[in-house]
Amino acid sequence: MAHSLHLGLFAALALSATTAFAAPATVTVENKTRPTACAEEDNVSMVLRGQGITGFRVEALQPSYIDRIEKDVTAPDFSACNFDGGAHPTDPSYKFKQRRVVLYDGPQWMIVGMTLPSFWRPNRVPVRVGARSGNDFHLVQVFAKSKEKDGKPMEALVLYPADGYWRLKPLPLPRFGDGVYGSSFLMGPVQDAGRPVVDISSITIQTQPLSFRLRFANGGSASVKVAEISQARTALDVSLHPPTQKSRPFAVLRSMFVSMDNADVSELTWQSTPSAAQETKPLPEISSIEAAQVRFARTTPSRHNTSAPDIRFSDFETARRN
């Protein structure tokens, strides 16, 4: 009996000696922006890379000038574009049967799957919420039932299963109606398919607590917990498996920049380490930075998507063993 106890104690000590724990990390952010005069074109690509990243947080935050907005300009502006609101002229077009399916409707959330009549990729990704599912949705929308809006469902999150794009926004302040999206982003093994994409093989959504389980075509996976939806922020806590390799981006922010007053992101604010002083530079002046947290922001009110949120990546972690 004593011998067995000693063996059990030894095994427990050995297990504890190799327990993984999260350690703060920094990532490299590369600016791959190209010039454009079109306010409806995603010409901004901010590429995030890091070695061994296993988790991080991404948030949509109200712009710092939100209280100074006199007129919220949310209408699209195709005045300097070579397309007029339809598909981009360089995109392929695959046809689908249009539909809208309420996948879940509960006291806090409503989750909707939408299939568009056409989309630029043919990919069909199985999406499941409880007993309801579909494999042809181009948008999965999450609506929060806002107390501030008398229980009206307010859209706060959209995931595009066929190309891996996400969009977030906080719940809008009362005077801003339904609010507006700005920048989008990708999370997972990013690759180039004419534009950055993440190939997802399946999506499972849990409603209590609200979270997404993504399996990627390369065999990896991500767990995305919706940590908060409020007027201050919509926040996601992301876990990646396996840990990232620095040779491949694990996230890309996609946005628009024409000028400092016509942009969905016009400057970056970041800390190079968790204890470093905060730095801010205009987007065109940045080629690459090392960051423990980075906010893709605007301090000059934009004449495009004026109230659209800032997007911040933070709390990068690696798994280490003691």
Side-chain angles (χ1 to χ4, degrees):
M1 176 66 72
H3 182 66
S4 298
L5 287 173
H6 289 156
L7 286 176
L9 179 60
F10 179 80
L13 290 172
L15 181 62
S16 66
T18 59
T19 299
F21 66 96
T26 63
V27 302
T28 302
V29 183
E30 298 173 281
N31 187 356
K32 301 295 186 182
T33 301
R34 53 179 178 76
T36 188
C38 173
E40 300 298 331
E41 184 176 6
D42 281 348
N43 65 312
V44 174
S45 287
M46 304 300 297
V47 179
L48 280 68
R49 303 175 188 268
Q51 181 64 34
I53 302 297
T54 56
F56 58 94
R57 168 168 279 207
V58 56
E59 301 166 279
L61 305 163
Q62 302 286 7
S64 62
Y65 58 70
I66 191 75
D67 293 333
R68 295 188 281 123
I69 296 176
E70 297 180 2
K71 182 180 179 182
D72 190 17
V73 180
T74 61
D77 176 10
F78 295 98
S79 58
C81 305
N82 63 351
F83 57 104
D84 61 1
H88 195 281
T90 62
D91 280 349
S93 181
Y94 297 91
K95 304 302 179 184
F96 294 83
K97 183 178 179 180
Q98 186 172 1
R99 67 181 185 133
R100 178 182 184 272
V101 179
V102 177
L103 296 167
Y104 174 80
D105 193 358
Q108 288 181 283
W109 327 109
M110 182 170 69
I111 302 173
V112 174
M114 287 190 65
T115 305
L116 304 175
S118 65
F119 198 73
W120 79 282
R121 301 192 88 198
N123 303 44
R124 291 177 177 265
V125 179
V127 176
R128 178 171 293 277
V129 186
R132 308 214 69 178
S133 63
N135 73 346
D136 61 348
F137 299 129
H138 297 120
L139 291 79
V140 175
Q141 302 164 288
V142 173
F143 296 81
K145 295 188 176 180
S146 168
K147 294 178 182 178
E148 293 86 353
K149 297 283 186 176
D150 299 322
K152 175 186 175 181
M154 303 294 294
E155 188 178 319
L157 181 158
V158 175
L159 167 60
Y160 294 76
D163 57 14
Y165 279 73
W166 297 74
R167 305 189 87 178
L168 303 180
K169 59 185 175 72
L171 296 180
L173 302 181
R175 66 191 182 97
F176 291 122
D178 290 339
V180 63
Y181 290 109
S183 304
S184 58
F185 56 89
L186 298 130
M187 304 186 295
V190 180
Q191 60 184 355
D192 186 6
R195 70 185 72 162
V197 300
V198 169
D199 283 332
I200 301 171
S201 61
S202 69
I203 300 169
T204 302
I205 303 173
Q206 303 290 333
T207 58
Q208 294 296 333
L210 184 57
S211 62
F212 293 72
R213 176 71 174 182
L214 280 63
R215 296 196 178 277
F216 301 120
N218 74 342
S221 65
S223 175
V224 181
K225 177 185 176 183
V226 180
E228 182 178 344
I229 296 178
S230 69
Q231 287 186 352
R233 63 178 51 78
T234 291
L236 306 179
D237 289 332
V238 183
S239 298
L240 298 175
H241 179 80
T244 61
Q245 299 292 320
K246 195 163 187 177
S247 59
R248 185 172 198 174
F250 69 86
V252 175
L253 180 110
R254 296 277 285 164
S255 195
M256 180 279 294
F257 176 90
V258 174
S259 62
M260 294 299 289
D261 66 347
N262 188 9
D264 289 342
V265 57
S266 59
E267 65 182 42
L268 272 63
T269 297
W270 75 96
Q271 290 173 275
S272 57
T273 67
S275 59
Q278 189 168 277
E279 301 177 65
T280 299
K281 281 188 178 181
L283 177 73
E285 295 181 14
I286 292 172
S287 57
S288 178
I289 61 170
E290 195 73 13
Q293 65 89 14
V294 57
R295 181 166 177 160
F296 302 96
R298 301 176 295 182
T299 53
T300 300
S302 177
R303 50 194 169 93
H304 180 270
N305 290 342
T306 311
S307 67
D310 296 351
I311 302 294
R312 178 168 66 191
F313 287 81
S314 64
D315 299 336
F316 301 109
E317 294 179 341
T318 58
R320 296 181 182 175
R321 297 186 180 276
N322 55 7

